[in-house]
């Protein structure tokens, strides 16, 4: 869809009539063509979060409109998936996450103050699970397709060291 406030507002109204929750991909930042907040306000929505301490995924919007939740998701694929896994999946899908533990194959660094999501590949070596971080730009799709799960670095940690046993949340 084009970056058009009127068109987005109409599509949002239509989605609110048909859906329990609404996810909008893109337009959640604060640029000249980011209209999600304006569209929400135009249809009577209330934005109560605009920006999360999440990496990638900082420019997320959480709003309520007509007693329904609306999420303005970042447009980059990795950022959108991160927000989905951090907020939507555990809150609305009521699924148990499958986790595995293994030894980290290399140091990884987070961004203190932000919860960081990092793709991971898993390999079984001599009966032990080895975890390999897969770093990429948030605009890339291929790492999402090739990874086995995600590592979450909490906001209060600087990262994890090679050799540590850590948790990976498996992809479905």
């Amino acid at each position: 869809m084009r970056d058009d406030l009127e068109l987005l507002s109409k599509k949002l109204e239509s989605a609110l009539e048909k859906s329990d929750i609404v996810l909008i991909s893109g337009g959640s930042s604060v640029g000249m063509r980011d209209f999600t907040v304006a569209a929400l306000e135009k249809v009577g929505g209330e934005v109560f979060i605009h920006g999360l301490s999440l990496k990638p995924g900082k420019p997320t919007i959480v709003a309520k409109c007509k007693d329904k939740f609306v999420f303005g998701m970042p447009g980059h694929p990795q950022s959108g998936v991160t927000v989905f896994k951090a907020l939507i999946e555990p809150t609305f899908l009521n699924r148990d996450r499958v986790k595995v533990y293994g030894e980290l194959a290399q140091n990884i660094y987070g961004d203190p103050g932000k919860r960081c999501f990092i793709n991971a590949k898993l390999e079984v070596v001599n009966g032990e699970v080895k975890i390999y971080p897969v770093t990429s730009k948030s605009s890339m799709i291929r790492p999402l397709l090739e990874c086995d799960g995600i590592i979450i670095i909490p906001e209060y940690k600087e990262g994890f060291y090679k050799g540590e046993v850590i948790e990976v949340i498996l992809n479905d």
Side-chain angles (χ1 to χ4, degrees), residues 83-148:
V83 171
F84 187 85
K85 287 185 177 291
L87 294 178
I88 311 304
E89 189 176 70
T91 306
F92 295 99
L93 297 183
N94 197 24
R95 289 192 291 193
D96 289 330
R97 292 177 164 176
V98 178
K99 302 171 185 177
V100 297
Y101 295 85
E103 182 180 315
L104 188 59
Q106 66 189 61
N107 293 343
I108 54 172
Y109 304 97
D111 190 350
K114 294 180 183 170
R115 180 168 293 196
C116 297
F117 285 61
I118 298 173
N119 293 319
K121 291 282 296 172
L122 304 176
E123 186 177 315
V124 178
V125 178
N126 297 326
E128 301 289 326
V129 176
K130 296 283 186 184
I131 301 169
Y132 297 89
V134 178
T135 57
S136 65
K137 296 185 182 293
S138 63
S139 60
M140 296 177 70
I141 294 174
R142 180 160 302 282
L144 290 169
L145 300 173
E146 294 177 347
C147 72
D148 298 309

Side-chain angles (χ1 to χ4, degrees), residues 32-103:
M32 293 292 293
R33 297 181 303 165
D34 294 318
F35 296 122
T36 301
V37 169
L40 281 159
E41 290 171 348
K42 186 173 176 100
V43 299
E46 178 187 358
V47 174
F48 51 93
I49 295 173
H50 192 184
L52 297 174
S53 294
L54 192 63
K55 184 176 183 177
K58 182 181 176 191
T60 300
I61 296 167
V62 181
K64 199 134 190 213
C65 189
K66 301 180 182 177
D67 292 325
K68 296 179 182 182
F69 282 101
V70 179
F71 293 86
M73 315 277 282
H76 282 148
Q78 182 66 61
S79 300
V81 168
T82 296
V83 171
F84 187 85
K85 287 185 177 291
L87 294 178
I88 311 304
E89 189 176 70
T91 306
F92 295 99
L93 297 183
N94 197 24
R95 289 192 291 193
D96 289 330
R97 292 177 164 176
V98 178
K99 302 171 185 177
V100 297
Y101 295 85
E103 182 180 315

